[in-house]
Amino acid sequence: VSKPVKPSKRSPGRPARLSREAIVEAGLALLEREPREPLTVARIAAEVGAVPAALYRHFASLDELLDGVLGRVLGTLELEIRPRAPWPQQIRDWMTSLRRHLLRYPGVLPLIGRRGRTSPAWLDAVAVQIGILERAGLAGARLARAHLWILETTVGIVVQEVSIPLHDQ
């Protein structure tokens, strides 16, 4: 679990030294400490001891900032997929690994498809699943339908579990 990011010591009137890394780490720390609270610029700014506008010196937009946090979370995703297992088992492994990771960071769920856009980090995570389906011989519309069904099922289960925890699943 990440520790809260503390601003560097500074002289009165001198702004805190911020960096993209410190801001993303602060977002991650908030997600780990308070996973069910929405991640906002105001909360991240408070975590680093700055005003919200200061974060925009390091990120061009809110989407870029949230993509950075989502990228950090998904960058720690460990997909435990057995390389020699049949493809249905590999899909199950992918679904189980993703579910376990998203349950650890439920606060990222709203960031995944925020305002109809897809984060590059999310695309990297689902590319593994698409690769398994392609190796199974799926292509075109069949691949797209299978991909969406598996993805929506996995995320739907996570959303349900975050809302109403399913113990011993």
Side-chain angles (χ1 to χ4, degrees):
V1 175
S2 296
K3 296 178 183 175
V5 177
K6 295 182 181 178
S8 60
K9 292 184 180 182
R10 58 188 177 159
S11 307
R14 186 171 172 198
R17 292 189 174 250
L18 290 178
S19 67
R20 288 177 67 93
E21 179 70 20
I23 294 166
V24 168
E25 282 297 318
L28 181 61
L30 286 168
L31 286 173
E32 288 178 338
R33 208 170 51 245
E34 302 170 45
R36 300 206 188 297
E37 294 296 318
L39 193 60
T40 65
V41 171
R43 288 185 65 225
I44 296 171
E47 183 77 3
V48 294
V51 297
L55 277 55
Y56 291 107
R57 290 187 205 126
H58 302 277
F59 294 91
S61 67
L62 175 62
D63 287 333
E64 185 181 331
L65 169 58
L66 295 178
D67 280 350
V69 174
L70 181 59
R72 179 65 50 85
V73 168
L74 293 176
T76 62
L77 171 62
E78 293 181 22
L79 294 171
E80 297 173 16
I81 299 171
R82 290 167 276 188
R84 291 196 169 98
W87 74 267
Q89 186 61 52
Q90 288 183 334
I91 288 295
R92 180 184 166 96
D93 291 347
W94 181 87
M95 293 172 78
T96 303
S97 297
L98 182 63
R99 173 189 163 267
R100 182 175 37 254
H101 196 72
L102 292 177
L103 286 173
R104 183 173 174 213
Y105 298 100
V108 301
L109 289 168
L111 305 183
I112 291 171
R114 191 170 180 278
R115 292 192 289 157
R117 57 183 302 282
T118 303
S119 163
W122 181 246
L123 293 175
D124 290 341
V126 299
V128 173
Q129 181 237 41
I130 292 170
I132 294 168
L133 294 172
E134 286 177 328
R135 287 189 299 279
L138 296 177
R142 289 183 62 211
L143 171 63
R145 281 192 300 276
H147 159 68
L148 287 175
W149 185 86
I150 293 165
L151 186 62
E152 289 172 357
T153 299
T154 306
V155 173
I157 289 169
V158 172
V159 169
Q160 180 182 15
E161 284 187 80
V162 167
S163 301
I164 306 168
L166 301 174
H167 302 288
D168 301 322
Q169 293 292 315

